Amino acid sequence: MRDTYHEGLDSLSDRLVEMTRLARHAIARATTALLDADLNAAQEVISGDEELNRLDEEIETTAFDLMARQQPVATDLRTIITSLHMAGDLERMGDHAVHIAKIARRRHPDSAIPAELRSTVLEMGHQAELLVVKAGDVVGNRDADTALELDADDDRMDKLRSKLLKRILDPGWSHGVEATMDVTLAGRFYERFGDHAVHVADNLVYMVTGEKPKDYEPEA
């Protein structure tokens, strides 16, 4: 019975790591769809979101089953609760990738991003991938110290979004209302994707240490 219990706990981590892998693929393909007006990539992201949703549901079912059958306490209970939070964040990251893909699909066969902003959006896509890969690493390795780095890593995403907004608000912006809306929404979806990756890392810190990130001090 205890072996089954611990296998259940381990499966939570395994599924979370798999969700980070899927979220990375989704945001990478969404960026391709957005910049290249790639309808196939957009459809792949939209249909692929079902797998992230399925894993989120599996984690929820496993977590509730463990709590009902085993009545875990202390560290194990913290693992279960934080896993639920992390799964929710990862599922929403998939949703943000879908939103980006839908912008691309709506503007097909044209690209939704003006040429002058393509490099900035591409960098946002790369930064999103970096964040979710790092989130997967810290979950898989239960690495609270590295998890603390994601907040600073996310600052780059915030700066890139500010760069987009600054360009849109510039008096020389001449791309019209549709492009303004597309760029604004895409920037917001990338930013929220990064925010959820930080939430995953924050929950990992609490899972491993029992402390909030602001209170945890790594060992020298």
Side-chain angles (χ1 to χ4, degrees):
M1 180 68 74
R2 298 303 294 177
D3 286 345
T4 301
Y5 170 60
H6 287 292
E7 286 174 3
L9 285 175
D10 290 342
S11 75
L12 295 176
S13 178
D14 293 342
R15 289 189 178 109
L16 288 170
V17 171
E18 176 64 8
M19 288 184 79
T20 66
R21 187 190 68 78
L22 292 171
R24 179 195 181 182
H25 181 74
I27 199 66
R29 295 297 284 160
T31 301
T32 296
L34 189 65
L35 293 176
D36 298 343
D38 188 329
L39 189 59
N40 289 332
Q43 289 297 142
E44 181 183 336
V45 174
I46 294 165
S47 61
D49 192 52
E50 293 181 5
E51 182 65 10
L52 267 169
N53 294 339
R54 183 187 65 79
L55 285 167
D56 180 38
E57 291 173 0
E58 286 185 3
I59 287 172
E60 181 176 304
T61 299
T62 299
F64 289 156
D65 184 67
L66 289 170
M67 286 189 288
R69 294 175 180 272
Q70 302 295 335
Q71 298 181 343
V73 295
T75 302
D76 288 349
L77 182 60
R78 193 166 68 235
T79 295
I80 293 169
I81 297 301
T82 53
S83 293
L84 284 169
H85 288 310
M86 287 189 277
D89 279 307
L90 289 162
E91 188 274 332
R92 283 187 285 277
M93 290 166 77
D95 290 342
H96 292 313
V98 168
H99 293 324
I100 292 169
K102 286 182 176 179
I103 294 173
R105 185 176 67 177
R106 186 164 61 246
R107 298 302 172 214
H108 183 269
D110 298 320
S111 172
I113 305 299
E116 66 190 272
L117 292 178
R118 287 175 62 84
S119 63
T120 303
V121 171
L122 180 61
E123 189 173 352
M124 293 184 84
H126 289 163
Q127 190 67 16
E129 288 187 63
L130 181 153
L131 286 162
V132 72
V133 167
K134 201 165 189 176
D137 288 344
V138 300
V139 170
N141 298 321
R142 297 176 65 89
D143 185 349
D145 292 356
T146 301
L148 294 174
E149 299 174 3
L150 266 82
D151 191 42
D153 293 337
D154 188 48
D155 288 345
R156 179 59 183 162
M157 183 71 85
D158 296 336
K159 290 176 182 176
L160 289 166
R161 181 173 183 245
S162 295
K163 185 177 179 179
L164 288 182
L165 295 179
K166 182 178 180 181
R167 183 66 191 94
I168 291 170
L169 295 172
D170 188 284
W173 177 258
S174 60
H175 298 287
V177 175
E178 285 188 351
T180 300
M181 292 298 296
D182 290 341
V183 172
T184 300
L185 287 172
R188 178 57 173 163
F189 294 140
Y190 280 114
E191 181 194 41
R192 290 302 296 149
F193 187 97
D195 289 343
H196 285 298
V198 174
H199 294 165
V200 170
D202 287 348
N203 273 292
L204 186 280
V205 172
Y206 182 65
M207 174 195 288
V208 173
T209 69
E211 298 181 59
K212 298 293 185 181
K214 64 182 178 63
D215 299 322
Y216 172 63
E217 294 186 5
E219 295 182 5

